[in-house]
Amino acid sequence: MAAIDPPPISQAAWDERYHRRAFVVMMVMFILAPAVVYPVFLMKALCFALFACAFNLLIGFGGLLSFGHAMFLGMAGYICAHAAKVWGFPPELAILAGTAFSTALGFVAGLIAIRRQGIYFAMITLALAQMIFFYCLQAPFTGGEDGIQSVPRGKLLGFLDLHNVHVLYYTVLAIFTGGFLLIYRIIHSPFGQVLKAIRENEPRAISLGYKTERYKLVAFVASAALTGLAGATKAIVFQLASITDVQWQMSGEVVLMTLLGGMGTVFGPVAGAFAIISMEYYLAELGAWFTIAQGIIFVVCVLAFRRGILGEFEAWLRNRK
Amino acid sequence: MNEIFGVPTQALFGQLLIGLINGSFYALLSLGLAVIFGLLNIINFTHGAQYMMGAFVAYFLASKAGMGYWWALLVVPLVVGATGVVIERLMLSKLYKLDHLYGLLLTFGLALIIEGAFRHQFGSAGLPYSMPDQLVGVFNLGFMFLPKYRGWVIIASLVICLATWFLIERTRLGANLRAATENPTIVQAFGVNVPRMITLTYGFGVGLAALAGVFAAPIYQVSPQMGSSLIIVVFAVVVIGGMGSILGSIITGFGLGIIEGLTKVFYPEASNTVIFVIMAIVLMIRPQGLFGQR
């Protein structure tokens, strides 16, 4: 590996200590949460948190704004639901099938999309997602507007009955934690460092001899795979794979979660996902006002609050130290 | 001659006409996007909402102020364009120094606000807007009947597109504009007020979207989501044509409308996706788009 200047050691040490503490706090909260909060709400938020973390891997660390990530979430959901319901797969294999499909889709979409940067990249991912959307609307196996309903949850690994809401919750938590730690590992690996270098200055990374397209493609595929994991898990939890997960509004929603929580921070997307899903959950009766509220959050974040909740919080912590 | 390639001529020309109509909307909207992108380097995600606002303002003018279609053609672009000027001054102008992804996110947020507000106020049902008396009826072209209004929309959008092209590619004002996209500092030094030019350009692009909204009002119903369904297709048109290319957006706009119409005749299942398929193919062969530079 060629040398990338490491950040000053004190900074890295500070980061690591902060991340470790924050992770412990987060896990304790998630483990205890079902005692006080409705577990189904928590599971929804966890699925979206994983989705947002996977998305953040791409934009926060690779600088690539995908406006079509709904295609990975939605397709994984359909494949998982179909595998569980029609083919009779056990839940773990169904989730794997959904994830595998998203990974493959991510590879194909990535090959096309990473040829352009910035706004162009965003537009291309959006249009590819539209292709998938219309396919899902018409393909016979997706059930069109109705989606695939009453997906069986089954028994995880043959003995954990997912109909028990607590078993289901801790399964979802385990999947989220696995995905989260994997993303943490990726961004703190040499690969992640190169990715950050590409985000900061791609021509320089190229001149250092990195095949930047390859790095971006791997990041894109990893992000698609983890998004697929979130989508497939969501299909098992809600026993439903629906067209709303493939719609472009969903791609916008995950951008909002990441932006609100803090792009490029480790915990920001989790906070953002919980904030948005709570809004959706508790403000559901607002109807069209909810869309307006989302729009206002977007505008405020972009104009005044670009670091997001956790970004601002971390900056405040750093200044205190 | 009642059939071409095994398809009844009536159906073929009917779909070609629908394709041309859709194509004129694609062209007008992607033209506005191209103009805005060219100078501001912002993908105006609010464009669909602004098109929808155009249709709604025309509806208000008719129902509240008794102003007919012809007045709407003049007043609506000015009114909606003025809101664009306000948006540019208050918000977009703060973002030019940042990564241009923030412009996309900001305009996306604005689109949500505008659409949400209209949906809250008017629900999802469409409102009717009647076409002007002068354009009711059909022309008999011999081989088919052409509704007068549709013929008017196609010709009017073509004229507006070409006029915009002329303005930007062949006049002094356009030359300043193009120069400012290359190097705003030098153009400023020549005594051109670049910030004001940028503001007015955004207003102009928004006005074009609003004008398309007025054209659309009598054909489609006036409804809050009329923009969001169209805008994604228009984005694809822009990517295919080459982002920021004026001529590219006009030609691809009309061309893709026609291709979409033909697909509806020969292979209806693909008619929704054909534009996105073409986009994927074009990107693989020519990543900068058909008319894009670099």
Side-chain angles (χ1 to χ4, degrees), chain B residues 90-138:
Chain B
L90 291 184
M91 301 176 184
L92 290 175
S93 59
K94 312 273 187 287
L95 300 178
Y96 297 134
K97 289 197 182 73
L98 301 168
D99 192 330
H100 27 247
L101 295 179
Y102 287 110
L104 183 116
L105 295 180
L106 181 87
T107 50
F108 179 67
L110 285 173
L112 290 180
I113 295 175
I114 296 171
E115 277 185 25
F118 276 84
R119 212 169 52 230
H120 175 72
Q121 209 58 38
F122 302 99
S124 296
L127 303 166
Y129 184 84
S130 50
M131 58 181 73
D133 299 336
Q134 295 90 329
L135 296 176
V136 175
V138 291

Side-chain angles (χ1 to χ4, degrees), chain A residues 65 67 115-116 119-120 123-124 126-127 130-131 134 138 248 252 255 288-289 291-292 295-296 298 302 306, chain B residues 41 43 98 102 104-105 108-109 113 116-117 119-120 232 235 239 243 269 272-273 276 279 283-284 287-288:
Chain A
L65 170 61
F67 233 97
R115 297 161 65 99
R116 302 310 308 271
I119 297 177
Y120 301 84
M123 294 287 91
I124 293 162
L126 176 59
Q130 278 309 96
M131 271 167 78
F134 284 116
Q138 290 172 347
W248 66 270
V255 183
W289 280 110
T291 320
I292 302 176
I296 292 173
F298 255 108
V302 170
R306 272 183 290 277
Chain B
N41 232 320
I43 277 286
L98 301 168
Y102 287 110
L104 183 116
L105 295 180
F108 179 67
I113 295 175
R119 212 169 52 230
H120 175 72
I232 309 287
F235 281 152
V239 172
M243 231 172 264
E269 291 83 359
N272 283 326
T273 21
F276 300 107
M279 190 206 64
L283 283 172
M284 285 199 265
Q288 68 273 44

Side-chain angles (χ1 to χ4, degrees), chain A residues 20-314:
Chain A
R20 200 172 297 153
R21 285 180 184 172
F23 181 74
V24 171
V25 171
M26 180 178 85
M27 286 317 291
V28 170
M29 271 166 54
F30 283 160
I31 289 168
L32 299 180
V36 274
V37 189
Y38 184 44
V40 176
F41 160 75
L42 285 174
M43 289 188 276
K44 182 172 187 189
L46 280 175
C47 290
F48 277 99
L50 180 57
F51 181 22
C53 285
F55 178 78
N56 184 46
L57 171 64
L58 202 56
I59 183 156
F61 298 93
L64 296 166
L65 170 61
S66 158
F67 233 97
H69 252 48
M71 64 177 150
F72 306 122
L73 186 81
M75 274 314 277
Y78 278 127
I79 299 292
C80 172
H82 188 77
K85 191 178 179 183
V86 180
W87 296 337
F89 277 27
E92 65 277 7
L93 281 186
I95 290 177
L96 268 183
T99 311
F101 187 87
S102 272
T103 313
L105 185 62
F107 181 72
V108 177
L111 272 186
I112 299 173
I114 52 158
R115 297 161 65 99
R116 302 310 308 271
Q117 295 163 356
I119 297 177
Y120 301 84
F121 177 84
M123 294 287 91
I124 293 162
T125 47
L126 176 59
L128 289 173
Q130 278 309 96
M131 271 167 78
I132 300 289
F133 169 74
F134 284 116
Y135 170 75
C136 290
L137 207 53
Q138 290 172 347
F141 88 98
T142 58
E145 300 272 359
D146 300 331
I148 305 179
Q149 298 175 358
S150 53
V151 177
R153 281 181 184 157
K155 285 194 157 91
L156 188 72
L157 305 171
F159 68 96
L160 288 168
D161 189 358
L162 294 184
H163 291 95
N164 178 330
V165 78
H166 288 284
V167 176
L168 185 63
Y169 174 76
Y170 288 106
T171 308
V172 174
L173 181 58
I175 291 174
F176 165 79
T177 312
F180 182 86
L181 289 176
L182 180 63
I183 292 170
Y184 188 82
R185 190 74 206 87
I186 294 175
I187 56 187
H188 289 87
S189 69
F191 172 82
Q193 297 299 319
V194 177
L195 209 57
K196 273 187 231 171
I198 295 172
R199 177 191 66 188
E200 297 302 330
N201 192 337
E202 183 161 2
R204 186 181 287 180
I206 293 173
S207 73
L208 284 170
Y210 290 111
K211 301 225 176 337
T212 58
E213 297 224 328
R214 211 174 283 171
Y215 280 87
K216 288 198 282 189
L217 182 60
V218 173
F220 192 84
V221 174
S223 175
L226 286 159
T227 301
L229 180 63
T233 309
K234 190 167 168 288
I236 294 287
V237 170
F238 290 94
Q239 304 188 284
L240 172 74
S242 76
I243 197 78
T244 45
D245 282 0
V246 205
Q247 249 157 359
W248 66 270
Q249 282 86 350
M250 184 59 81
S251 304
E253 203 152 310
V254 75
V255 183
L256 182 59
M257 289 172 186
T258 315
L259 185 67
L260 176 64
M263 277 179 192
T265 63
V266 173
F267 296 94
V270 182
F274 270 78
I276 297 293
I277 298 295
S278 316
M279 267 180 67
E280 224 169 67
Y281 200 78
Y282 294 107
L283 306 181
E285 66 271 28
L286 286 183
W289 280 110
F290 177 65
T291 320
I292 302 176
Q294 277 189 322
I296 292 173
I297 296 177
F298 255 108
V299 170
V300 171
C301 279
V302 170
L303 285 179
F305 185 53
R306 272 183 290 277
R307 286 190 288 209
I309 300 172
L310 276 227
E312 297 288 349
F313 177 68
E314 281 172 22

